[in-house]
Amino acid sequence: MAGVQVANVSRSFGAHKALDDVSIDFADGGFYALLGPSGSGKTTLLRQIAGFDFPDSGRITIGGESVERVPVEKRRIGMVFQNYALFPNMSVADNVAFGLSVRGEPKATIAAEVQRALDLVQLGKLGGRKPHQLSGGQRQRVALARAIVTKPRVLLLDEPLGALDKALRVDMQIELKRIQREIGITTIFVTHDQEEALTMSDRIGILRDGRLVQEGPPEEIYDRPQSEFAATFLGDANIFRGNATGSGIKLPDGTTIAASTGASVPAGARASCAVRPERIQISTGAAKADPANANTLKGQVSKRIFAGNNSTYFVERDGQTLKVIVQNTGAERLAEGQPVVLSWSPDSTVLIAA
Amino acid sequence: MADQLAIGSRRGLRPALPLLLPAYLWLTVAIFLPLSAMVFFSFMTDLPLAGKDWAFTLGNYAAFFSQSLYSTLLFASLRLGLEVTLWCVVIGYPAAYVLAKVLKGRSREAIFLLVILPFWSNGLVRIFSWAMVLREGGILDTALNAVLPFKINIDLMYSYPAVIIGLVHSYVPYMVLTCYLTLQAIDDSLIEAGRSLGASRRQVLWRVIIPLSMPGLIAGSALIFVPVVGSFMEPRILGGRTGTFYGTVIEDQFVAVFNWPLGAALSFILLAVVLIILALAAPVLRRAG
Ligand SMILES: Nc1ncnc2c1ncn2[C@@H]1O[C@H](COP(=O)(O)OP(=O)(O)OP(=O)(O)O)[C@@H](O)[C@H]1O
Ligand SMILES: [Mg+2]
């Protein structure tokens, strides 16, 4: 096992900077999710680490050694491709055996290791099938077994669950996480799906236009986003823009919003505040608000979406639409068009430098 | 694909008949009728057209077995077919690989055009240009002597190698095209997957790319082997006296000796031998592909 360090890596295709001075430290044995919109450079970054493509500048080390002159086959990585890339002419067992057999391992060892890997992904009985005889989820597990059977130092996963339906996806997430824990391998996981990133990884990196926007544990990124992009890309957020006051911001209409987390911005500078929809309390104004909720705003419900265990209210206020998520506690539901008071705590408000 | 087949069989063949009719009509007129006439001729003592007497006989087929010349020539032709096919694989497969996996965009189109150009030039023109290149004092001879410090005499004309060169040049585009199509269909991520699993470029080539391009190699080989075994133009023009093969003997029966019945019988023996070879090879090739 080994950690991976990416230091100041840049890669351009023509005039387009696919990676722009990216530095990330992937800890040994950690599960790291790379998140970002389409075209943000996630695959490009994985390809640099795998050795399919080479950075214009910067350094990549695996297990402390620079891999600049190490070809793909010597890097001891395992990769699961977005389209699985199983060899169509080989059986499932031969696919999994491939990496061991090119190394020239004895036949008996190969057979035993292949069986173990297939058992690990719960496909022990399907070794004789051809890839086209498998379901999407089974193919994905074969690809995973094939990638881990060679005992790589690093596992690279490029949106491996992208093609699966929701239920299978959740099953596979749990299984993938279990396997990763079992063998304790450094894993870098590319995904489009923010929920997947939050539930599976112990660190998340968000890429945008080839730049690393923010990186850290999931709770930290969710609770203390450092940019409007990070706040809205990972989860939902209500964004207020105004001028910093030292303890929050002042909106253009004079309302102040207190914030006790996030960046420190000098008073007078432009800044914004982010509030998660589930942190806001919504009421008709009749009941007394929680005294801890120092931030209050008046508005009008424009729309309500009922989703079973919760409801999302869209509240119009001064030309801005705010989103509030309320757990279904059986309390009275608010009607569309009703005037309401929104309140939340400064602790739930993140100050972001513009 | 499987779905379409299922639908087709459920509806039966009948609705498809009007669509198939023109094709079958054409096949009947253009191939089946002349071919049956030839089968008929091959059992005759002489052509009825000339107004001479004729009778049915097995003598034309018996001639093949009674004179060892024919079987010797057939073996020579089969060997020629095998050698030309092998050379086409050796030359055509790497070219197809470069076209499909290395070149991109404009340069690919340009090279592609060069590869299929021989297809579009007249066969005779092609062969006579080789004759100009290969003969003593020809282009190859002159060029080599202009470069080399010592005098050499290249006279490949009227030799076995000349026949091979001419045939390979005529038929290599088939190999390039069939292999190009299968190589094109191989996803690049399969190659990357192989490499990420620790295989070198060479191992990926032998274990992934070549097995996956077997259908193209087999199709190309069949397209080349069969006509080369019966070829007569290249052996005659480039091979001269050494260029006597099974195909030239058949041609002689039709255009020189006017013994159509013997020519027809020899053709059908060739057809039978080729079909037997393909049938024997099929199970082996199917396993490889
Ligand atoms: N070989 C290439 N040649 C030219 N441009 C490329 C190449 N590979 C990637 N790019 C460009 O680099 C940018 C980043 O691509 P990349 O594939 O890394 O995105 P991504 O984050 O993986 O996106 P997605 O989520 O859609 O897979 C894109 O704008 C893409 O067009
Ligand atoms: Mg991608």
Side-chain angles (χ1 to χ4, degrees):
Chain A
M1 302 299 147
V4 176
Q5 288 79 39
V6 170
N8 309 102
V9 164
S10 296
R11 174 74 170 111
S12 299
F13 297 107
H16 179 79
K17 282 188 171 175
L19 290 177
D20 187 1
D21 196 24
V22 172
S23 301
I24 306 178
D25 198 342
F26 301 95
D28 189 359
F31 195 112
Y32 197 105
L34 278 175
L35 204 58
S38 187
S40 57
K42 306 181 294 292
T43 299
T44 308
L45 181 57
L46 276 199
R47 292 175 61 81
Q48 315 296 315
I49 298 170
F52 298 132
D53 192 32
F54 299 91
D56 301 327
S57 62
R59 228 168 91 91
I60 296 172
T61 61
I62 299 178
E65 281 173 71
S66 169
V67 289
E68 195 178 349
R69 297 186 189 289
V70 184
V72 180
E73 64 267 27
K74 299 263 165 63
R75 291 196 180 186
R76 308 214 340 260
I77 49 146
M79 179 132 182
V80 175
F81 292 78
Q82 191 158 8
N83 62 357
Y84 313 137
L86 298 177
F87 305 124
N89 54 325
M90 299 179 201
S91 69
V92 165
D94 287 344
N95 261 282
V96 179
F98 186 88
L100 298 171
S101 105
V102 294
R103 247 192 237 165
E105 304 260 352
K107 281 218 158 59
T109 320
I110 295 180
E113 289 288 317
V114 166
Q115 194 54 48
R116 240 167 49 91
L118 284 176
D119 287 340
L120 192 66
V121 296
Q122 297 169 9
L123 284 179
K125 293 197 180 68
L126 299 187
R129 295 238 191 127
K130 284 283 178 78
H132 68 87
Q133 297 168 318
L134 300 178
S135 74
Q138 290 169 335
R139 270 179 231 180
Q140 199 260 324
R141 283 183 275 167
V142 175
L144 188 62
R146 185 179 69 172
I148 58 179
V149 77
T150 55
K151 304 217 163 50
R153 299 184 289 177
V154 181
L155 190 58
L156 304 172
L157 306 156
D158 194 355
E159 298 195 43
L161 311 180
L164 307 183
D165 67 51
K166 183 80 186 163
L168 191 54
R169 210 180 158 103
V170 172
D171 283 353
M172 283 310 305
Q173 287 172 359
I174 295 167
E175 206 158 334
L176 185 60
K177 192 70 202 173
R178 173 180 66 78
I179 292 168
Q180 193 264 339
R181 247 191 241 118
E182 213 165 296
I183 57 180
I185 186 172
T186 310
T187 302
I188 306 174
F189 182 90
V190 166
T191 177
H192 258 118
D193 184 333
Q194 35 157 312
E195 201 179 303
E196 196 165 275
L198 285 169
T199 53
M200 294 182 73
S201 53
D202 36 52
R203 274 184 100 80
I204 293 178
I206 299 180
L207 283 172
R208 182 197 196 186
D209 296 336
R211 295 188 140 271
L212 184 67
V213 174
Q214 190 175 350
E215 141 354 287
E219 297 84 358
E220 183 185 308
I221 297 196
Y222 189 80
D223 290 340
R224 285 188 298 285
Q226 289 163 2
S227 60
E228 285 184 21
F229 177 79
T232 50
F233 190 76
L234 192 74
D236 255 326
N238 296 299
I239 302 287
F240 302 96
R241 297 195 185 91
N243 292 313
T245 60
S247 62
I249 61 168
K250 188 176 218 167
L251 302 186
D253 68 354
T255 320
T256 56
I257 293 177
S260 55
T261 55
S264 56
V265 184
R270 299 212 38 88
S272 39
C273 281
V275 190
R276 300 288 179 194
E278 70 275 12
R279 298 290 184 88
I280 300 179
Q281 282 188 0
I282 186 166
S283 67
T284 52
K288 195 109 178 75
D290 187 333
N293 291 354
N295 292 317
T296 57
L297 287 175
K298 288 197 170 67
Q300 193 175 30
V301 175
S302 65
K303 198 175 171 152
R304 179 172 69 92
I305 296 174
F306 177 67
N309 65 349
N310 65 45
S311 293
T312 303
Y313 290 98
F314 292 88
V315 176
E316 291 296 325
R317 184 245 157 220
D318 196 23
Q320 188 179 9
T321 305
L322 304 174
K323 215 171 169 184
V324 181
I325 295 178
V326 178
Q327 286 303 309
N328 184 359
T329 55
E332 186 199 354
R333 294 185 184 113
L334 302 168
E336 290 176 7
Q338 186 162 0
V340 288
V341 175
L342 305 180
S343 63
W344 68 94
S345 150
D347 290 339
S348 303
T349 315
V350 186
L351 188 62
I352 293 168
Chain B
M1 184 66 180
D3 289 347
Q4 280 170 0
L5 287 180
I7 290 168
S9 58
R10 207 177 312 134
R11 288 191 190 154
L13 205 58
R14 198 162 298 159
L17 273 183
L19 298 175
L20 288 173
L21 212 57
Y24 276 107
L25 222 58
W26 166 250
L27 282 178
T28 312
V29 173
I31 296 175
F32 188 68
L33 288 182
L35 216 58
S36 351
M38 279 294 157
V39 173
F40 193 57
F41 289 162
S42 72
F43 289 104
M44 289 176 164
T45 50
D46 210 334
L47 278 188
L49 309 171
K52 287 183 233 158
D53 287 340
W54 60 274
F56 282 113
T57 176
L58 288 173
N60 297 314
Y61 288 93
F64 177 86
F65 296 99
S66 61
Q67 295 182 35
S68 65
L69 171 72
Y70 295 125
S71 47
T72 311
L73 285 179
L74 181 56
F75 269 110
S77 283
L78 290 174
R79 199 189 119 196
L80 180 71
L82 209 62
E83 276 186 42
V84 169
T85 308
L86 278 178
W87 280 112
C88 286
V89 170
V90 168
I91 296 169
Y93 188 77
Y97 182 85
V98 170
L99 273 173
K101 292 287 170 211
V102 181
L103 296 177
K104 298 262 151 17
R106 266 288 154 72
S107 51
R108 175 189 286 182
E109 287 163 24
I111 304 279
F112 213 104
L113 208 65
L114 281 181
V115 169
I116 53 177
L117 217 53
F119 254 177
W120 296 340
S121 59
N122 178 288
L124 272 177
V125 172
R126 201 160 58 213
I127 295 164
F128 277 110
S129 351
W130 273 115
M132 289 201 301
V133 171
L134 296 175
R135 70 161 201 271
E136 187 176 9
I139 295 171
L140 184 66
D141 197 29
T142 317
L144 278 177
N145 277 313
V147 178
L148 295 174
F150 48 90
K151 175 87 185 138
I152 55 162
N153 220 348
I154 297 257
D155 184 13
L156 281 176
M157 198 53 194
Y158 304 132
S159 70
Y160 189 66
V163 177
I164 299 259
I165 290 174
L167 282 169
V168 167
H169 182 231
S170 300
Y171 285 100
V172 81
Y174 288 104
M175 188 59 77
V176 176
L177 285 179
T178 55
C179 290
Y180 173 80
L181 289 178
T182 47
L183 283 166
Q184 178 84 317
I186 299 176
D187 195 335
D188 284 346
S189 68
L190 291 182
I191 298 171
E192 294 186 343
R195 301 254 283 139
S196 75
L197 291 165
S200 64
R201 281 172 199 279
R202 180 186 296 246
Q203 283 174 315
V204 169
L205 180 69
W206 282 104
R207 286 168 174 254
V208 179
I209 300 175
I210 289 182
L212 284 176
S213 38
M214 260 315 160
L217 281 167
I218 290 169
S221 300
L223 283 177
I224 292 167
F225 179 76
V226 175
V228 166
V229 172
S231 66
F232 54 86
M233 212 158 55
E234 289 87 351
R236 174 142 305 176
I237 300 170
L238 296 171
R241 241 177 311 111
T242 62
T244 308
F245 287 95
Y246 196 75
T248 57
V249 169
I250 295 176
E251 190 212 5
D252 279 341
Q253 305 311 314
F254 283 98
V255 303
V257 192
F258 290 107
N259 190 350
W260 283 31
L262 179 58
L266 292 177
S267 305
F268 285 113
I269 290 173
L270 174 61
L271 182 64
V273 168
V274 165
L275 286 180
I276 289 172
I277 292 175
L278 291 184
L280 289 179
V284 182
L285 295 178
R286 200 171 302 133
R287 220 174 312 129

